[in-house]
Amino acid sequence: MKCRKCGGTAVINMRQHKLALCADDYLAWLPEQVQRFIEKYEMFTRDDRVLVAVSGGKDSLGLWDILHRLGYQADGLYIGLGIDGGFGYSDQSRELSERFANEHGLKLHVVEVEQTYGATIPELAVISNRGHGKPCSVCGLNKRYIMNRVAHDGGYTVLATGHNLDDEAAVLMQNTLNWAGGYLVRQAPVLPASRPGLARKVKPLCRIYEREMAAYTITRGIEYIYDECPHAVGSTTLYNKELLNQLEEKRPGAKLQFYLSFLQAKEAGLFSAKASEPDLHACDRCGQPTTAPGECSFCRLWDKVRGVKNLPDRVPASLVAPALSA
Ligand code: AMP
Ligand code: FES
Ligand code: ZN
């Protein structure tokens, strides 16, 4: 297979774009695509201070690399979840994230959930009795909360995650199967900061295939954690991804079309904006915006844990180290 740009040996063939590229041309092409989508969806500009949530995986490290190469001001945030899975999943993820930051001279904030709040995510799942023995739901709640807090405390104007097309299409499929109107209205490349205290959230890789991100990070020589979170095994998301891959196999581009037609349908008014603006107010305890009356679900969760574990009452004034927040 030959590179369409230079005739050299192709390292990737993207049937969905009818495009094969060599290593050099691919490493130039992908960031150009990302730049196009950042502009198209008006995600952020070079004046913004971007906080990239990095998990140590290919998507988020690849995203950080791309934003850095494109000349954006992007710092990283790694959240230590305390997940072991028999191979030190969280420790390895942290190490790879730190290595990438050091090698590129980039700033990485690290928040260890256990050190900051007093329990690991798996422990939290058991104590809170949420999520039917799976930590994923408390994990998601904690990640969303901490990302938002660090963005706010550190004065970042946008929060970027590494969600790729496969992630977005799998979630879209689930939300469609459930006709989950509220989620469908809010699933978008950009979630504006609808009120003070809520960070603007963007997904610059939402149109990039997972396979394209893997090829990018490998070709760039970025070391990332290959393993999925051990708790993701058997999840609906992974199952949906498999189904979508079968579809894609028969019809290259099907995944992208599914997602893009959804965005277009929404643009054309398929969903009313009615469900999109939940009533938010400040949490009585930590001040972050919440839909729950009184305390937010993060604070209620940790109240319960403090009771069970007899932990001191801690509400960190800021999740960003003072020396770093200037
Ligand atoms: P996931 O929900 O694991 O598919 O991850 C989706 C996105 O969330 C990743 O691309 C990252 O941007 C972010 N993310 C996931 N885990 C972490 C973590 N431990 N620390 C910081 N960001 C994370
Ligand atoms: Fe959160 Fe797996 S449970 S990453
Ligand atoms: Zn709260």
Side-chain angles (χ1 to χ4, degrees):
M1 184 80 56
K2 282 191 174 156
C3 171
R4 196 168 82 197
K5 300 220 163 159
C6 73
T9 308
V11 293
I12 184 165
N13 179 25
M14 296 169 282
R15 289 200 299 160
Q16 68 279 13
H17 307 309
K18 296 193 177 64
L19 181 66
L21 292 171
C22 71
D24 283 351
D25 283 315
Y26 185 62
L27 291 180
W29 178 84
L30 195 75
E32 281 166 17
Q33 295 298 302
V34 175
Q35 175 61 29
R36 254 186 59 208
F37 303 141
I38 290 172
E39 287 170 18
K40 179 175 171 59
Y41 299 111
E42 300 177 350
M43 293 186 176
F44 46 83
T45 69
R46 288 184 176 75
D47 293 330
D48 278 297
R49 290 187 64 223
V50 184
L51 181 67
V52 186
V54 291
S55 63
K58 61 183 181 326
D59 304 300
S60 48
L61 285 181
L63 171 63
W64 202 7
D65 181 73
I66 290 171
L67 294 184
H68 178 54
R69 285 181 64 201
L70 289 171
Y72 289 101
Q73 315 174 49
D75 294 347
L77 162 65
Y78 172 79
I79 302 168
L81 307 165
I83 295 172
D84 184 73
F87 59 96
Y89 172 73
S90 287
D91 290 346
Q92 263 195 60
S93 310
R94 174 174 175 165
E95 201 186 308
L96 291 165
S97 304
E98 285 179 330
R99 189 178 308 171
F100 180 86
N102 291 338
E103 281 171 5
H104 293 79
L106 293 168
K107 182 157 93 191
L108 178 70
H109 300 280
V110 174
V111 175
E112 285 289 347
V113 172
E114 187 178 18
Q115 270 171 34
T116 313
Y117 294 103
T120 63
I121 293 297
E123 217 183 330
L124 198 54
V126 174
I127 294 173
S128 69
N129 209 8
R130 278 174 61 147
H132 314 284
K134 281 244 174 202
C136 307
S137 108
V138 281
C139 179
L141 168 67
N142 276 266
K143 283 195 288 201
R144 283 191 300 275
Y145 182 94
I146 293 170
M147 285 176 195
N148 198 60
R149 272 292 301 267
V150 172
H152 175 261
D153 295 352
Y156 293 94
T157 44
V158 261
L159 170 69
T161 53
H163 291 96
N164 59 38
L165 175 68
D166 295 51
D167 296 325
E168 292 304 294
V171 168
L172 175 58
M173 188 162 149
Q174 198 54 38
N175 288 341
T176 309
L177 289 173
N178 297 332
W179 285 112
Y183 288 119
L184 287 166
V185 171
R186 283 191 297 274
Q187 186 181 354
V190 176
L191 215 62
S194 52
R195 60 167 283 159
L198 267 191
R200 175 181 177 81
K201 297 192 182 102
V202 300
K203 299 171 194 163
L205 305 181
C206 63
R207 290 177 59 163
I208 312 288
Y209 281 70
E210 192 162 304
R211 178 174 168 265
E212 295 170 3
M213 283 315 294
Y216 179 84
T217 34
I218 291 169
T219 312
R220 277 284 284 166
I222 298 169
E223 274 188 88
Y224 65 89
I225 184 151
Y226 292 94
D227 298 279
E228 292 268 1
C229 165
H231 300 291
V233 179
S235 69
T236 317
T237 307
L238 283 187
Y239 180 70
N240 287 347
K241 283 185 178 179
E242 267 175 46
L243 288 179
L244 287 160
N245 281 338
Q246 286 176 26
L247 206 66
E248 181 79 21
E249 182 64 39
K250 297 238 163 57
R251 207 152 54 86
K255 231 186 289 193
L256 184 59
Q257 206 209 333
F258 178 49
Y259 182 63
L260 290 185
S261 323
F262 160 69
L263 293 184
Q264 278 161 10
K266 207 155 57 147
E267 190 85 351
L270 177 63
F271 302 100
S272 91
K274 217 171 71 198
S276 75
E277 268 306 316
D279 228 2
L280 293 173
H281 69 96
C283 164
D284 287 350
R285 184 185 180 89
C286 73
Q288 280 226 86
T290 175
T291 51
E295 286 190 2
C296 72
S297 41
F298 180 89
C299 286
R300 273 183 288 135
L301 174 68
W302 281 98
D303 281 346
K304 193 164 174 183
V305 177
R306 267 190 298 273
V308 174
K309 288 194 73 176
N310 245 325
L311 294 169
D313 194 354
R314 29 183 154 180
V315 181
S318 169
L319 284 184
V320 171
L324 302 174
S325 65

